């Protein structure tokens, strides 16, 4: 048994014996509960929380956002004001909601009043809070990408599965609102409308180089040490973290210390759709090779121009390239289908999608573009956050459950590794290891800076170090 397998086995054994909260959340008490509303805590109040996660959640009357947490006290207070204003305007009462504020998400997770959490933090703070939320018995809506490394993504998926909490990834292209074309395209592909799939081409945005690395004083309102979390300590500079006066696109997105760049930032969306269409949601490529350019100066270190070519066990070749039109293009023996977001964005500062059409196909027969009652029909979700809330009530799987989310993210993360390691890499999607390549396997995990990281979660500490 290798070290990774030993860690996985010991963590699952630990998860099986974790003591969950003794106070039962409102969501499982049914119609006789003091409140039939699902109580949600918001972890991280930044661009995506303010512009997407909170409004899409709060518009559903079944939920109440009752708490907010951020390591930046300014953003924490803005989050409280934002949520309370929403309820004031939509419920007609100045005292409808008194949102609790937390500096440390672990204190929020300890509250028996919370049924579920939305995690809208930077990429390096995705997997650990999700693991701890699962161990605390809280349902989870997690912003993509699922994890910073394959190792922590595997751990998170296993613990979510073992604890039975409801998990949803923010891969909202699967849901009908606002992009019904993605499900339609995948259903057509799965039903053989373009014949046998031979190739999938994916176009993603790219990030610029630059950024000012000059050290600056840490703002008094920011717990910078906790913001860095398990990643190495580096001096504070504004363009490494997030803006202090607005909610524009943050600089951490372009630093490899905190994420892998667009290959995960957008790759998780489009590769997830490719997997959905191909029916490969629980596996991954078996071979891949990549090239990429990386900045040689400045603060921002994520990849620039790149190309990744992967091969799957079903014979399909997947090409991911920043020069391709933004979207997912399925090619089969009998035709092709292209799908993208078109001109519909999630936030005001989403990347430019160019002129990519929302849906385009070579299929001429209109009857072939319809899905019949005997055809394969994929999971129908109205909207990603609504689907999560519905599943919190029903306890059914969401449209983007943990294992599916982990597999899509893994395909992106190993693509990033392939950008760093020359030559063709052979990937084993069952054991989640590269074959005969120690250099690549060393990049499947990263060191954990004490006292942060999954190695240092109290209930798991010791087990993860065996």
């Amino acid at each position: 048994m290798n070290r990774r397998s030993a860690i996985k086995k010991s963590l699952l054994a630990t998860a099986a014996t974790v003591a969950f909260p003794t106070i039962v959340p409102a969501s499982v008490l049914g119609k006789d509960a003091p409140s039939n509303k699902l109580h949600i805590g918001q972890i991280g109040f930044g661009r995506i929380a303010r512009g997407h996660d909170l409004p899409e959640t709060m518009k559903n009357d079944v939920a109440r956002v009752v708490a907010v947490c951020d390591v930046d006290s300014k953003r924490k207070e803005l989050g409280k004001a934002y949520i309370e204003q929403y309820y004031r305007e939509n419920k007609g009462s100045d005292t409808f909601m008194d949102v609790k504020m937390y500096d440390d998400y672990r204190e929020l997770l300890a509250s028996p009043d919370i049924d579920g959490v939305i995690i809208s933090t930077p990429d390096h703070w995705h997997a650990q809070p999700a693991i701890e939320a699962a161990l605390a018995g809280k349902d989870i809506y997690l912003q993509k990408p699922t994890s910073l490394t394959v190792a922590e993504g595997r751990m998170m998926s296993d613990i979510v599965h073992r604890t039975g909490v409801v998990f949803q990834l923010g891969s909202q292209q699967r849901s009908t609102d606002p992009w019904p074309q993605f499900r339609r395209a995948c259903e057509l592909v799965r039903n053989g409308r373009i014949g046998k799939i031979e190739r999938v081409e994916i176009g993603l945005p790219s990030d610029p180089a630059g950024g000012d690395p000059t050290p600056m004083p840490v703002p008094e309102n920011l717990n910078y040490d906790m913001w860095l979390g398990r990643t190495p300590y580096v001096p504070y500079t504004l363009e490494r973290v997030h803006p202090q006066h607005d909610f524009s696109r943050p600089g951490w997105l372009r630093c490899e210390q905190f994420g892998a760049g667009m290959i995960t930032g957008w790759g998780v969306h489009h590769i997830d759709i490719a997997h959905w269409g191909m029916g490969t949601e629980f596996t991954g490529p078996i071979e891949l090779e990549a090239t990429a350019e990386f900045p040689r100066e400045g603060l921002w270190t994520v990849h620039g121009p790149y190309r990744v070519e992967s091969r799957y066990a079903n014979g399909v070749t997947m090409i991911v390239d920043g020069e391709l039109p933004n979207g997912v293009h399925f090619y089969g023996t009998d035709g092709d289908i292209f799908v993208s977001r078109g001109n519909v964005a999630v936030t005001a500062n989403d990347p430019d999608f160019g002129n990519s059409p929302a849906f385009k196909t070579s299929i001429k027969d209109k009857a072939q573009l319809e899905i019949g009652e005997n055809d394969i029909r994929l999971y129908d979700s109205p909207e990603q956050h609504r689907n999560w809330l519905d599943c919190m009530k029903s306890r059914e799987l969401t449209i983007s459950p943990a294992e599916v989310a982990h597999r899509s993210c893994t395909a992106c993360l190993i693509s990033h590794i392939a950008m760093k390691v020359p030559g063709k890499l052979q990937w084993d999607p069952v054991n989640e290891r590269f074959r005969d390549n120690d250099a690549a396997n060393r990049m499947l995990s990263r060191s954990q800076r004490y006292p942060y990281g999954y190695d240092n979660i109290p209930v798991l500490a010791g087990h993860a170090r065996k």
Side-chain angles (χ1 to χ4, degrees):
M1 182 181 296
N2 59 37
R3 181 178 181 275
R4 180 188 168 280
S5 298
I7 291 173
K8 174 181 171 182
K9 192 168 185 178
S10 63
L11 288 174
L12 288 177
T14 302
T17 61
V18 169
F20 294 121
T22 56
I23 300 176
V24 181
S27 60
V28 299
L29 293 176
K31 61 183 179 64
D32 296 322
S35 170
N36 286 330
K37 307 302 181 185
L38 299 168
H39 289 177
I40 307 300
Q42 174 66 49
I43 300 176
F45 183 73
R47 176 183 65 100
I48 199 70
R50 182 177 181 271
H52 181 57
D53 287 333
L54 281 170
E56 291 294 344
T57 299
M58 292 190 295
K59 72 181 184 183
N60 295 286
D61 193 55
V62 69
R64 294 286 184 268
V65 180
V66 299
V68 64
C69 173
D70 204 295
V71 296
D72 186 326
S73 62
K74 183 188 296 184
R75 289 195 165 196
K76 176 188 66 177
E77 292 162 6
L78 287 171
K80 174 181 170 68
Y82 177 91
I83 297 165
E84 291 178 355
Q85 180 180 353
Y86 177 91
Y87 286 122
R88 185 164 54 248
E89 293 176 352
N90 288 273
K91 300 300 179 183
S93 170
D94 289 341
T95 59
F96 182 83
M97 183 66 67
D98 181 13
V99 174
K100 293 182 180 180
M101 295 188 293
Y102 295 88
D103 298 313
D104 190 324
Y105 71 88
R106 292 167 293 193
E107 295 176 3
L108 184 153
L109 293 177
S111 170
D113 299 327
I114 300 295
D115 300 314
V117 292
I118 303 170
I119 302 173
S120 314
T121 49
D123 295 1
H124 65 293
W125 268 117
H126 282 185
Q128 183 181 347
I131 289 170
E132 292 176 282
L135 293 172
K138 310 300 185 185
D139 295 328
I140 303 158
Y141 188 101
L142 178 65
Q143 260 304 326
K144 54 78 199 168
T146 318
S147 62
L148 190 63
T149 68
V150 174
E152 67 181 14
R154 167 47 56 209
M155 184 186 302
M156 189 207 71
S157 179
D158 287 345
I159 290 178
V160 165
H161 178 75
R162 183 65 186 84
T163 56
V165 299
V166 173
F167 177 96
Q168 178 82 297
L169 186 73
S171 50
Q172 63 270 19
Q173 289 180 171
R174 285 186 172 231
S175 291
T176 300
D177 180 12
W179 301 295
Q181 63 268 26
F182 286 104
R183 174 170 164 262
R184 180 192 183 201
C186 289
E187 284 186 333
L188 291 170
V189 172
R190 291 280 282 268
N191 281 289
R193 297 299 199 271
I194 60 171
K196 184 180 184 300
I197 310 171
E198 297 180 322
R199 187 172 82 259
V200 181
E201 293 184 355
I202 295 175
L204 305 176
S206 59
D207 279 311
D212 184 359
T214 306
M216 300 170 62
V218 178
E220 292 183 1
N221 49 287
L222 177 65
N223 182 344
Y224 181 57
D225 186 72
M226 190 170 188
W227 186 90
L228 286 171
R230 43 53 92 76
T231 74
Y233 182 85
V234 288
Y236 172 83
T237 183
L238 181 67
E239 292 187 348
R240 175 176 277 128
V241 188
H242 55 247
Q244 282 293 310
H245 302 293
D246 60 40
F247 289 90
S248 57
R249 199 167 184 83
W252 64 260
L253 283 164
R254 296 163 180 166
C255 298
E256 279 201 331
Q257 180 169 343
F258 314 118
M262 284 296 186
I263 191 63
T264 53
W266 263 77
V268 166
H269 284 306
H270 285 348
I271 289 178
D272 178 61
I273 294 300
H275 283 182
W276 206 20
M278 291 193 296
T280 57
E281 298 166 275
F282 295 96
T283 183
I286 59 172
E287 182 181 88
L288 65 161
E289 186 173 18
T291 58
E293 296 178 16
F294 289 88
R296 297 184 178 181
E297 58 184 9
L299 175 69
W300 297 331
T301 53
V302 297
H303 65 79
Y306 60 97
R307 179 182 175 88
V308 183
E309 186 167 330
S310 305
R311 184 171 59 87
Y312 284 70
N314 60 7
V316 175
T317 296
M318 180 186 295
I319 297 169
V320 184
D321 194 319
E323 296 298 317
L324 292 169
N326 188 311
V328 184
H329 204 155
F330 297 97
Y331 291 89
T333 54
D334 299 330
D336 68 285
I337 293 175
F338 176 85
V339 63
S340 79
R341 293 187 181 184
N343 60 0
V344 179
V346 170
T347 64
N349 50 25
D350 272 0
D352 183 12
F353 308 135
N355 296 315
S356 296
F359 182 89
K360 183 176 69 173
T361 180
S362 61
I363 300 172
K364 303 300 182 185
D365 184 353
K366 290 185 178 180
Q368 288 293 301
L369 294 174
E370 301 298 326
I371 302 298
E373 61 180 43
N374 295 322
D375 283 331
I376 296 170
R377 291 180 176 269
L378 299 176
Y379 195 133
D380 188 1
S381 161
E383 191 278 328
Q384 205 78 355
H385 301 78
R386 169 64 183 276
N387 176 248
W388 176 56
L389 297 172
D390 287 345
C391 291
M392 286 180 69
K393 287 285 192 180
S394 69
R395 311 313 295 172
E396 296 177 354
L397 280 178
T398 64
I399 194 169
S400 300
E403 183 63 20
V404 170
H406 168 64
R407 293 293 182 164
S408 295
C409 186
T410 294
C412 301
L413 290 169
I414 63 174
S415 294
H416 181 247
I417 292 172
M419 294 178 188
K420 304 273 190 172
V421 180
K424 285 187 178 180
L425 299 178
Q426 308 300 316
W427 175 249
D428 178 353
V430 175
N431 295 301
E432 296 185 319
R433 302 281 294 175
F434 291 100
R435 300 182 192 276
D436 303 320
N437 198 311
D438 292 340
N441 282 326
R442 282 194 293 270
M443 300 175 73
L444 295 173
S445 62
R446 298 192 193 185
S447 60
Q448 312 283 295
R449 185 175 69 96
Y450 185 83
Y452 309 104
Y454 54 79
D455 281 5
N456 300 302
I457 297 173
V459 73
L460 302 180
H463 292 271
R465 298 190 187 102
K466 288 180 180 178

